[in-house]
Amino acid sequence: QVQLVESGGGSVQAGGALRLSCATSGYTGSHKCMAWFRRAPGKEREGVAAIYTGDDTTYYVDSVKGRFTISQDNAKNTVFLEMSSLKPEDTAMYYCATRRWGGPCTSWSTPGTFTDWGQGTQVTVSS
């Protein structure tokens, strides 16, 4: 059974840092695109970052470039999102997502192109 489980969320002050983890299980075969999305209250789900597990190519939304880093541990089937210099506007529920059929991160910021999602982990940044 395919499963994604996020962890690492919490509450921090502005300028702080958090590390999110997404442990995956149940997948076999090809490399795939792994992504982090977030949804803030009253806003649409937004693609934050993605990584293609085949060659570690990464993608970021402009608002987090230079502050967030996505990475993977292939041996542990885990994807990470290192977040630093956090701002109140980063407050959201963060979700890990992937595409079961594999392949690169084309259209990575479009939620509808992902087939599997975790339950989310809350990140709250206070000013």
Side-chain angles (χ1 to χ4, degrees), residues 18-121:
L18 285 172
R19 186 195 201 202
L20 305 184
S21 299
C22 173
T24 67
S25 61
Y27 292 99
T28 59
S30 61
H31 289 292
K32 53 191 175 291
C33 182
M34 298 291 303
W36 285 96
F37 285 80
R38 65 186 178 187
R39 174 173 277 163
K43 295 188 177 181
E44 293 188 355
R45 193 166 30 179
E46 174 188 40
V48 175
I51 185 168
Y52 176 57
T53 63
D55 61 11
D56 286 338
T57 301
T58 57
Y59 308 82
Y60 298 94
V61 68
D62 285 348
S63 61
V64 307
K65 285 180 180 177
R67 300 189 299 121
F68 290 12
T69 301
I70 188 170
S71 62
Q72 63 161 337
D73 182 335
N74 243 336
K76 297 182 179 179
N77 295 317
T78 302
V79 174
F80 305 98
L81 186 68
E82 301 267 6
M83 306 185 295
S84 62
S85 301
L86 282 162
K87 304 175 181 180
E89 51 263 43
D90 294 318
T91 295
M93 184 72 79
Y94 283 72
Y95 300 89
C96 178
T98 193
R99 295 165 175 164
R100 193 172 305 189
W101 60 78
C105 290
T106 307
S107 300
W108 71 269
S109 61
T110 303
T113 65
F114 290 83
T115 57
D116 299 291
W117 294 80
Q119 81 289 349
T121 185

